[in-house]
Amino acid sequence: MPDEPYNPSPVGNPSVLARRNWWQTMLVKFIGKHTPKCREMVRILSRSMDEPMPLTMRIKKRLHFLICCWCQRYEEQLRYIHETARQFPEQADEVPGPPLSEEAKERMKQKLAEQAL
Amino acid sequence: MSASDIEAAAARWVDDHGECLYRYALVRVHKPEVAEDLVQETFLAGVRGYEKFGARSSERSWLVGILKNKIVDHFRKLGRETSFTDMQFLSNEYSEKFVSVGFWDHEKGPHEWRPGADEVIHRTEFWQVMRDCLTKLPQKVRDVFTMREMDDVPSKEICAILSITDSNLWVMLHRARMALRECLEMNWFDKPAGGRA
């Protein structure tokens, strides 16, 4: 189906553009053809968490998001994971798990006291 | 600062932050004795560097920062001993989520999350889900992911520490994010008690 790069049913599709009329159909086809497919887009989005995305790709991404709210969500969620994950270390004592034993604490205090002298 | 002041401060650190540092270290290195050593080293470095600690950040962030460096050093020493495995996990493309031309299958695409972003991080249950989801990743992939997203180590440095190539790193991070996203969605955001509460 070379002429049908993307043919989502508009029903229940919350994307900005979703083949709801002739114009949208044309735009959706055009954007679907000239931007990376979702499978590739999610790789690109992951990589952009670690290094800057080139300008042309940023533009393609924006266009792609017009026809694909799922990739847009995916990016938001990666950012969310990125923002929350880094707060985990400071909250680590909130997570149930094997505790640091009292003996270990005493050992540490003792070593620290020796070090301070 | 006198020796007795430092001693008192250090004893307080052990009580206030020991648990947190230890549990994080344990999530990272999996061996209680190694985790304990790392925490001990962190406190010692803290005592030595106490002069340099202004009140710029909280005591805990400062100590956690030291611990992160200790963990990275630990992996640096281990680096070359671990081999690159987990191919099965890495070859899983989640292809069932995409239709054949490569777009999301609408039924299986990401759901909308309503995180209540600021509130969620103080919820024990959320962190528990996060940790359980991390535990499901193969160890090497988890190491790479946590080093990047929790310890905030630049990707180039991770490649050097673990002696892996750039493209290996991208693949591992991508699969880790995909799996973690999926797991958080299933076990937290789609649950009534989760982000939608």
Side-chain angles (χ1 to χ4, degrees):
Chain A
M1 293 190 303
D3 289 336
E4 296 284 323
Y6 189 45
N7 187 15
S9 151
V11 179
N13 182 349
S15 304
V16 176
L17 297 172
R19 312 194 72 152
R20 293 181 191 97
N21 55 46
W22 187 83
W23 283 107
Q24 285 202 6
T25 303
M26 290 296 119
L27 271 170
V28 167
K29 277 189 180 177
F30 181 82
I31 294 173
K33 217 171 189 167
H34 291 94
T35 64
K37 305 285 176 284
C38 307
R39 198 201 300 272
E40 184 58 27
M41 190 50 97
V42 290
R43 272 184 218 134
I44 296 168
L45 291 173
S46 168
R47 192 158 168 175
S48 77
M49 296 282 122
D50 307 304
E51 59 173 34
M53 194 187 270
L55 180 65
T56 46
M57 188 50 80
R58 288 217 299 275
I59 295 168
K60 284 185 184 175
K61 180 190 84 174
R62 282 282 143 215
L63 287 172
H64 183 87
F65 283 178
L66 291 177
I67 63 163
C68 183
C69 65
W70 293 275
C71 281
Q72 188 167 10
R73 276 182 201 161
Y74 192 85
E75 187 189 44
E76 283 163 12
Q77 293 170 0
L78 287 194
R79 279 186 205 288
Y80 182 79
I81 291 172
H82 180 75
E83 290 304 319
T84 47
R86 67 188 51 216
Q87 304 184 52
F88 177 82
E90 287 181 41
Q91 312 278 342
D93 49 348
E94 298 275 332
V95 181
L100 183 61
S101 65
E102 286 306 318
E103 299 88 73
K105 284 186 190 171
E106 280 314 310
R107 270 201 300 279
M108 285 182 189
K109 285 180 189 172
Q110 236 159 31
K111 269 203 190 147
L112 288 167
E114 286 163 21
Q115 187 66 206
L117 293 176
Chain B
M1 197 158 159
S2 75
S4 64
D5 287 345
I6 296 181
E7 190 185 334
R12 193 171 44 77
W13 290 348
V14 175
D15 288 327
D16 289 355
H17 311 301
E19 200 67 56
C20 174
L21 297 177
Y22 175 72
R23 294 211 189 161
Y24 181 57
L26 197 57
V27 167
R28 301 300 316 281
V29 300
H30 320 293
K31 290 189 184 125
E33 62 282 3
V34 179
E36 202 184 306
D37 282 349
L38 288 171
V39 175
Q40 177 80 73
E41 282 174 36
T42 301
F43 285 135
L44 286 174
V47 168
R48 279 183 227 117
Y50 196 69
E51 311 289 308
K52 276 179 264 165
F53 168 62
R56 275 163 296 142
S57 57
S58 75
E59 217 167 66
R60 177 163 296 186
S61 330
W62 176 63
L63 289 167
V64 166
I66 299 177
L67 174 64
K68 286 178 177 179
N69 286 329
K70 298 281 171 204
I71 292 172
V72 172
D73 287 344
H74 169 77
F75 277 104
R76 194 170 277 133
K77 276 180 227 150
L78 278 181
R80 279 149 225 281
E81 289 168 26
T82 45
S83 60
F84 190 71
T85 48
D86 312 321
M87 288 322 289
Q88 207 183 350
F89 174 81
L90 292 171
S91 62
N92 176 8
E93 282 256 25
Y94 281 87
S95 32
E96 75 281 3
K97 289 187 163 284
F98 299 93
V99 294
S100 59
V101 281
F103 293 97
W104 287 103
D105 178 335
H106 291 182
E107 301 297 315
K108 295 171 187 156
H111 298 169
E112 208 166 351
W113 289 5
R114 267 162 271 165
D118 297 329
E119 174 248 4
V120 81
I121 59 159
H122 298 297
R123 290 177 67 171
T124 308
E125 300 90 340
F126 175 75
W127 292 122
Q128 213 170 330
V129 171
M130 173 81 95
R131 192 205 43 190
D132 294 347
C133 288
L134 277 177
T135 318
K136 285 183 197 154
L137 301 176
Q139 185 171 330
K140 182 103 180 186
V141 176
R142 179 172 56 211
D143 290 344
V144 167
F145 177 83
T146 36
M147 213 180 265
R148 177 73 196 101
E149 296 284 37
M150 292 190 172
D151 300 343
D152 211 8
V153 180
S155 39
K156 286 265 177 270
E157 217 177 307
I158 299 178
C159 290
I161 293 168
L162 300 176
S163 40
I164 52 176
T165 62
D166 271 2
S167 55
N168 263 335
L169 178 84
W170 304 129
V171 172
M172 286 165 104
L173 283 173
H174 170 48
R175 296 288 193 280
R177 287 177 175 129
M178 203 145 194
L180 194 72
R181 194 212 68 80
E182 183 73 13
C183 182
L184 286 176
E185 182 163 290
M186 265 171 48
N187 296 294
W188 178 259
F189 292 101
D190 279 357
K191 289 269 167 76
R196 294 178 175 212

